Amino acid sequence: QVAKHLDKYEISAAGDLIYHFVWDEFCDWYIEASKVDMNPDILKFVYGEILKLTHPICPFVTEAIWQELFSADESIMDFQFPILELEDVEIEKTFETVQNLVGEIRKIRSEKKLNPKDKIEVSVKSSDENIIDSKEVLEVLANLSEAKISSDVEKPERAVVSRVDGVEIYVDIPFDEAAEKIRLEKELEQLSKKKAGLEGRLSNPSYTEKAPAHLVDQTKAELVEVSEKLETVETELKNLG
């Protein structure tokens, strides 16, 4: 993506992509996740690729850093511009789910007005071995005392239930039944409106017949996800009485 923008002399767009990759992915997620299992070779490799990506935009700064950290005898200009050669779609999908789980846990913390520094316990219902293997990463990124992940994990008696990417999670936190009922009723109303809107869009021939197929499929997938969340919220409200 950066190369395409540079070829068109779209310097600002290229710089924006690099900025968000470094800040939002490399620093915010990768460096934090790497604390669980340090791999300095990968860290160095990715940082080197970042310098190469950025060199056309900030040549003097990147050259100085390269000389300091990588090679005092070779210029960064002697190396090839980065090319995507290694890609594991399955692992990328797994980590996206981990990111979404962390985001949902943080959202629940905020809704419950819990101190983000306090450790809590979370259970994740999943048989995906990649998700199970991400236990320590999830604990570190979401600041958990423990993450229980298995296909037969049981819901604690008093826990906030949510669903992310088809994975059900139980957040065990101090429970206020009255406040939880109000929160669930509000979420139920929002999800019901969203579901009705998606159903209305899909029942409109001018959308389903004229819109690009991938957008229609995306809307259908979103409807399935919203319906699942709605079912979960309805069950929780029923359990509360």
Side-chain angles (χ1 to χ4, degrees):
Q1 289 178 315
V2 171
K4 287 178 181 178
H5 284 303
L6 290 178
D7 286 342
K8 297 177 182 178
Y9 297 98
E10 297 169 347
I11 309 301
S12 178
D16 190 59
L17 279 172
I18 295 169
Y19 169 81
H20 285 291
F21 172 73
V22 174
W23 186 255
D24 299 337
E25 297 190 52
F26 183 65
C27 294
D28 194 22
W29 288 102
Y30 178 71
I31 291 180
E32 290 302 310
S34 71
K35 293 175 181 178
V36 175
D37 186 11
M38 294 295 292
N39 191 328
D41 291 335
I42 293 293
L43 192 65
K44 183 177 181 180
F45 168 77
V46 176
Y47 189 60
E49 297 299 281
I50 287 171
L51 291 177
K52 294 173 191 175
L53 273 179
T54 315
H55 184 67
I57 300 173
C58 304
F60 299 108
V61 173
T62 50
E63 180 69 37
I65 297 174
W66 183 270
Q67 296 276 331
E68 180 72 25
L69 297 182
F70 289 87
S71 175
D73 302 321
E74 296 176 292
S75 170
I76 192 173
M77 288 189 293
D78 295 331
F79 292 83
Q80 185 178 15
F81 191 80
I83 297 174
L84 184 61
E85 297 177 313
L86 305 173
E87 191 172 20
D88 189 325
V89 176
E90 185 179 351
I91 293 299
E92 284 184 10
K93 185 178 179 182
T94 295
F95 195 72
E96 283 179 7
T97 297
V98 171
Q99 288 176 301
N100 293 335
L101 286 169
V102 171
E104 185 67 14
I105 293 168
R106 289 174 178 170
K107 175 186 168 186
I108 292 171
R109 277 182 184 272
S110 176
E111 289 175 346
K112 292 298 181 180
K113 295 181 170 41
L114 295 177
N115 189 332
K117 295 182 179 179
D118 292 340
K119 292 186 179 294
I120 58 176
E121 190 173 299
V122 169
S123 301
V124 180
K125 195 168 189 176
S126 175
S127 58
D128 188 327
E129 289 298 325
N130 289 326
I131 298 294
I132 294 172
D133 290 342
S134 301
K135 169 182 164 67
E136 287 186 78
V137 173
L138 183 60
E139 289 173 342
V140 169
L141 295 179
N143 191 31
L144 307 178
S145 57
E146 183 181 9
K148 299 177 181 177
I149 309 176
S150 71
S151 57
D152 58 355
V153 71
E154 294 184 2
K155 171 186 172 297
E157 183 179 357
R158 293 299 186 186
V160 175
V161 181
S162 188
R163 185 183 291 269
V164 176
D165 295 346
V167 177
E168 200 163 82
I169 59 173
Y170 311 127
V171 182
D172 193 3
I173 59 176
F175 191 79
D176 182 333
E177 186 169 325
E180 179 63 7
K181 188 172 183 179
I182 292 173
R183 186 190 74 81
L184 288 171
E185 287 174 344
K186 184 177 179 180
E187 187 174 0
L188 181 69
E189 182 181 356
Q190 292 173 338
L191 288 171
S192 297
K193 287 181 180 178
K194 190 170 184 179
K195 182 182 178 182
L198 292 169
E199 288 176 334
R201 197 184 307 171
L202 289 171
S203 64
N204 185 347
S206 64
Y207 174 73
T208 55
E209 294 173 8
K210 297 179 182 179
H214 73 278
L215 287 181
V216 176
D217 290 340
Q218 185 178 323
T219 304
K220 290 179 180 178
E222 192 176 353
L223 177 59
V224 170
E225 185 177 352
V226 169
S227 298
E228 289 177 346
K229 285 186 177 180
L230 187 62
E231 185 178 336
T232 299
V233 172
E234 288 174 339
T235 301
E236 286 305 299
L237 271 173
K238 184 178 180 181
N239 290 339
L240 282 178

